């Protein structure tokens, strides 16, 4: 209670320029709209990382070699990573967990028509602290129901889990980095191609304007030399009225 009283006295606020109100009164704190004065957060300089010693590096590499990764080819609908961690942590120590989210187009469609905003995942990777435990978990749980309490919505779903031999978490991060690099290079190539096409189109459009101006000047000079002052659009009218094709017509047959 003393701690709560000190916090309420320290965090006093104002309402629309009126007198100060503390958070001791629950009626005012719950019903009144209080605008708290937020101070700008001071930027904390990140501390430089200390280099690891040889012994620490050897211990770290030894620990990484002990770890094992399992792959889940299918995730039950709307299962969160925290739920998956809680279920698998019963068998051994869990390190890192990564689940691949579904396609954004599928999520937008479900959100629009079914009003369902929950996240859904396609597949995932789970890192165990011991690769022996990871192997035994994958062999024992594969193609078996998840189980649990009767109220659990994942009780009747089937595990699809496989142990990845000689696979470490660094391989997964390298895979994602490689895919990201490929995606970025494709985007860059598409942008360069679009810029090249736009540049080519602009050059041809400018060349076409220059050629039309040259033709107009030539026609103007010809008209001046001939002494025939015709309007500028006379050339177009002549081309439109010019007969392009001639067909021989048969003689009219006279009725007897």
């Amino acid at each position: 209670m003393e701690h709560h009283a000190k916090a309420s006295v320290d965090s006093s606020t104002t309402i629309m320029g009126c007198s100060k109100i503390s958070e001791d009164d629950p009626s005012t704190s719950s019903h009144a709209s209080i605008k708290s004065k937020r101070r700008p957060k001071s930027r904390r300089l990140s501390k430089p990382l200390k280099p690891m010693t040889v012994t620490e590096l050897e211990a770290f590499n030894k620990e990484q070699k002990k770890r094992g990764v399992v792959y889940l080819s299918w995730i039950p609908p709307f299962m969160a990573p925290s739920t998956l961690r809680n279920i698998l942590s019963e068998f051994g120590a869990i390190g890192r967990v990564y689940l691949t989210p579904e396609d954004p187009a599928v999520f937008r469609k479900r959100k629009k028509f079914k009003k369902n905003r929950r996240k859904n995942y396609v597949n995932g990777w789970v890192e165990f602290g011991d690769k022996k435990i990871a192997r035994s978990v994958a062999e024992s749980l594969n193609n078996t129901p998840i189980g649990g309490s009767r109220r659990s919505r994942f009780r009747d779903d089937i595990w699809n889990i496989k142990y990845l031999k000689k696979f470490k978490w660094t391989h997964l991060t390298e895979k994602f980095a490689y895919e990201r690099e490929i995606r970025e290079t494709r985007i860059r190539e598409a942008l360069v191609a679009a810029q090249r096409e736009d540049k080519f189109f602009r050059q041809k459009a400018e060349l076409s304007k220059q050629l039309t101006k040259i033709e107009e000047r030539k026609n103007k000079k010809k008209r001046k030399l001939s002494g025939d002052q015709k309007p500028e659009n006379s050339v177009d009218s002549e081309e439109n009225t010019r007969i392009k094709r001639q067909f021989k017509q048969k003689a009219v047959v006279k009725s007897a």
Side-chain angles (χ1 to χ4, degrees), residues 184-198:
E184 289 177 356
T185 52
R186 287 179 180 175
I187 292 171
R188 284 196 299 269
E189 289 175 357
L191 288 175
V192 170
Q195 291 175 357
R196 193 185 300 116
E197 291 177 359
D198 184 64

Side-chain angles (χ1 to χ4, degrees), residues 23-253:
E23 295 181 356
D24 293 335
D25 190 0
S27 61
T28 57
S29 61
S30 59
H31 297 287
S33 60
I34 301 174
K35 295 182 179 180
S36 60
K37 296 181 179 179
R38 296 180 179 177
R39 296 181 181 179
K41 296 181 179 179
S42 59
R43 294 182 179 177
R44 296 180 180 178
L45 298 176
S46 59
K47 296 181 180 180
L49 298 175
K50 295 181 180 180
M52 298 177 67
T53 61
V54 178
T55 55
E56 290 177 351
L57 184 61
E58 290 178 355
F60 177 77
N61 292 333
K62 189 176 181 180
E63 184 185 359
Q64 292 295 321
K65 288 180 180 179
K66 288 182 179 179
R67 298 186 178 186
V69 180
V70 297
Y71 172 69
L72 288 87
S73 61
W74 182 78
I75 305 296
F78 311 115
M79 176 180 276
S82 59
T83 306
L84 180 63
R85 179 185 289 274
N86 293 334
I87 294 172
L88 294 179
S89 61
E90 298 177 0
F91 306 98
I94 301 294
R96 289 163 284 193
V97 177
Y98 178 78
L99 302 182
T100 306
E102 65 179 349
D103 189 8
V106 177
F107 174 73
R108 288 194 297 268
K109 188 175 181 180
R110 187 177 71 251
K111 180 181 175 182
K112 181 179 179 181
F113 295 102
K114 297 184 179 180
K115 308 299 181 181
N116 190 348
R117 298 186 179 183
R118 288 182 294 179
K119 292 183 179 180
N120 196 17
Y121 299 93
V122 182
N123 53 14
W125 292 262
V126 179
E127 184 185 36
F128 282 85
D130 191 353
K131 56 186 176 183
K132 294 181 180 179
I133 296 175
R135 184 193 295 271
S136 62
V137 167
E139 292 176 355
S140 59
L141 294 183
N142 191 31
N143 292 329
T144 59
I146 295 176
S149 62
R150 294 183 179 180
R151 295 183 179 180
S152 177
R153 60 183 303 172
F154 311 115
R155 176 184 175 85
D156 298 327
D157 290 318
I158 304 298
W159 286 111
N160 289 321
I161 186 170
K162 181 182 179 181
Y163 172 72
L164 302 178
K165 187 179 180 181
K166 296 182 180 180
F167 187 86
K168 302 299 178 183
W169 200 262
T170 54
H171 299 155
L172 183 62
T173 54
E174 289 174 0
K175 173 180 175 291
F176 289 144
Y178 176 71
E179 291 178 353
R180 192 183 305 110
E181 185 66 24
I182 291 176
R183 186 165 56 251
E184 289 177 356
T185 52
R186 287 179 180 175
I187 292 171
R188 284 196 299 269
E189 289 175 357
L191 288 175
V192 170
Q195 291 175 357
R196 193 185 300 116
E197 291 177 359
D198 184 64
K199 185 178 180 181
F200 178 79
F201 176 77
R202 290 177 182 273
Q203 288 177 353
K204 293 300 180 182
E206 190 67 25
L207 182 61
S208 176
K209 289 180 181 179
Q210 293 176 0
L211 292 175
T212 52
K213 288 181 180 178
I214 291 170
E215 290 293 331
E216 288 177 357
R217 285 198 295 268
K218 285 182 179 180
N219 294 333
K220 195 172 183 181
K221 286 181 181 179
K222 287 179 181 179
R223 285 195 299 270
K224 283 185 179 180
L225 292 174
S226 62
D228 188 9
Q229 299 293 336
K230 293 182 179 180
E232 294 182 355
N233 56 357
S234 62
V235 178
D236 299 335
S237 61
E238 289 178 1
E239 290 181 355
N240 293 331
T241 56
R242 189 184 301 167
I243 299 172
K244 296 181 180 180
R245 294 176 184 173
Q246 293 180 353
F247 298 93
K248 292 182 180 180
Q249 295 184 1
K250 295 180 179 180
V252 179
V253 179

